[in-house]
Amino acid sequence: MTSERTGKMRKQRLKIIIFGLLFLVSLCLASAQEGRGQGRIFGSVTDENGNPVNGAEIVCQSLEFNLTLKTTSNKKGNWAITGLGSGVFRISASKSGYLPSETQMKISHFRNPPVDFVLKSIESSDVQAMEGGEASKELFREATTLFNQEKYAEALQLFQGFLEENPTLFQVRINIGNCYRKMEEYENALAEYQAVLDELKEKNPDIQGNKDAAMALSNMGETYILMNDIDKAHIFLRKAIEIFPKDHALAYNIAEIYFDNGKIDQAIQYYELAIQIKPDWPLAYLKKGYAYLNKADFVDAISSFKKFLELAPEDEEAEKTRNLITQLEKIKKN
């Protein structure tokens, strides 16, 4: 057997091994994707003055499976939900007398970043113009429910109706943009996100530190990814981080957007940014390891996995990660 043929066979064998490892990783990542799993999320609910909100209802609804879990915040405003599988979830917080707040994030069965809500009082200056009162809040909740049920056209109509009744609450245009994005009407989605930015800048030209602005920019970036315009996507996602430079969860979620769309190099960049912001967060190292594994960069994958184990030796994923490191080190020797 010639050395050339031996080399080709070795490369082919390596490809098979890599494929097998990635398949095993995908099984691990998908093991909790039937709605239920070992995932846990937690966070807090406060009012605009930073006071804890007791008794706020937290609803966590899977956008992929028929699963909804609920809890309430305690006297300190803290809450937690366990038993979640990995996937995209819509998480909302609501309490009588406050405007509901909601967010969407990808939940892992590894450790997740905290989800903190700030509820605005109905009596506060920027929401006192809500003409519909409780009925208007119910309209918002119904629109959110329809969105979670993937009934985007119906949700769009209700969100637009809510905006007509409450024109000062222009942030709902982010929800409207999300409906358009899900309906693949990307230009309409971008127009809604841009409208939010324009309104925010009109109220205050300095949008540094504004969470709504960061969300709008992040959603614009995700929309451009769906439009296969990675250059523009990177511009808007980077702007979102610039506005919220200390938000490790935002950097992580941007990394997840890139990872889910097969943009591994960009994903690694934002996993690393999340690590810079919060260097003791195990999840970012673990997911960065998987990203490097997708590139067949075993050295950096092993390094990231080992850092994860150093920070979280008792994590539920620790044993799987140790086994994965063992397999990767064997491949390196071949």
Side-chain angles (χ1 to χ4, degrees), residues 232-275:
K232 280 190 177 180
H234 188 70
I235 290 172
F236 285 98
L237 293 173
R238 187 175 64 245
K239 284 182 179 178
I241 286 292
E242 289 173 353
I243 290 175
F244 252 63
K246 295 183 179 180
D247 190 339
H248 64 285
L250 176 60
Y252 173 82
N253 286 335
I254 289 175
E256 291 284 272
I257 290 171
Y258 277 126
F259 189 89
D260 289 345
N261 286 275
K263 311 302 179 183
I264 305 303
D265 289 333
Q266 292 91 334
I268 290 172
Q269 177 184 347
Y270 282 96
Y271 285 132
E272 290 177 342
L273 179 56
I275 288 169

Side-chain angles (χ1 to χ4, degrees), residues 152 178-189 226:
Y152 304 122
N178 292 344
C179 291
Y180 279 127
R181 191 180 73 226
K182 290 293 187 179
M183 295 164 64
E184 299 184 3
E185 296 184 25
Y186 299 132
E187 294 296 341
N188 287 335
L226 294 172

Side-chain angles (χ1 to χ4, degrees), residues 11-177:
K11 288 181 180 179
Q12 184 65 26
R13 178 172 173 268
L14 181 59
K15 288 181 180 179
I16 294 173
I17 293 173
I18 293 172
F19 177 81
L21 283 172
L22 291 175
F23 179 71
L24 289 174
V25 168
S26 68
L27 287 179
C28 291
L29 291 174
S31 62
Q33 288 185 346
E34 294 304 320
R36 288 282 190 174
Q38 298 177 336
R40 176 180 182 272
I41 57 172
F42 64 99
S44 64
V45 186
T46 59
D47 62 20
E48 298 132 295
N49 299 315
N51 301 313
V53 176
N54 181 26
E57 183 181 50
I58 311 298
V59 179
C60 185
Q61 185 173 29
S62 172
L63 303 189
E64 303 170 65
F65 303 100
N66 183 25
L67 175 68
T68 299
L69 298 178
K70 301 179 180 180
T71 189
T72 56
S73 58
N74 61 21
K75 292 181 179 179
K76 295 183 179 180
N78 298 324
W79 61 271
I81 293 178
T82 60
L84 298 168
S86 59
V88 181
F89 284 77
R90 176 75 59 179
I91 309 163
S92 64
S94 62
K95 185 178 180 180
S96 178
Y98 296 87
L99 183 68
S101 179
E102 54 86 23
T103 187
Q104 180 176 313
M105 69 177 289
K106 181 167 184 176
I107 293 176
S108 168
H109 59 289
F110 311 122
R111 295 186 181 183
N112 295 290
V115 182
D116 299 317
F117 292 102
V118 177
L119 297 186
K120 296 181 179 180
S121 170
I122 296 300
E123 287 72 33
S124 64
S125 59
D126 62 338
V127 298
Q128 62 184 355
M130 182 181 284
E131 299 177 1
E134 191 63 35
S136 192
K137 287 195 294 180
E138 182 58 33
L139 179 64
F140 184 90
R141 294 191 188 100
E142 185 179 352
T144 300
T145 298
L146 289 170
F147 184 92
N148 293 340
Q149 294 174 347
E150 300 183 8
K151 298 177 180 178
Y152 304 122
E154 297 173 42
L156 174 62
Q157 290 184 340
L158 294 191
F159 280 130
Q160 289 173 330
F162 177 89
L163 182 61
E164 289 177 4
E165 291 183 6
N166 307 279
T168 62
L169 302 181
F170 60 88
Q171 292 90 340
V172 77
R173 299 189 74 164
I174 290 179
N175 304 77
I176 292 173

Side-chain angles (χ1 to χ4, degrees), residues 304-313 317-318 321-322 325:
S304 296
F305 290 143
K306 286 184 175 179
K307 185 64 178 180
F308 163 73
L309 291 174
E310 176 186 327
L311 293 170
E317 291 300 314
T321 305
R322 291 188 185 97
I325 289 173

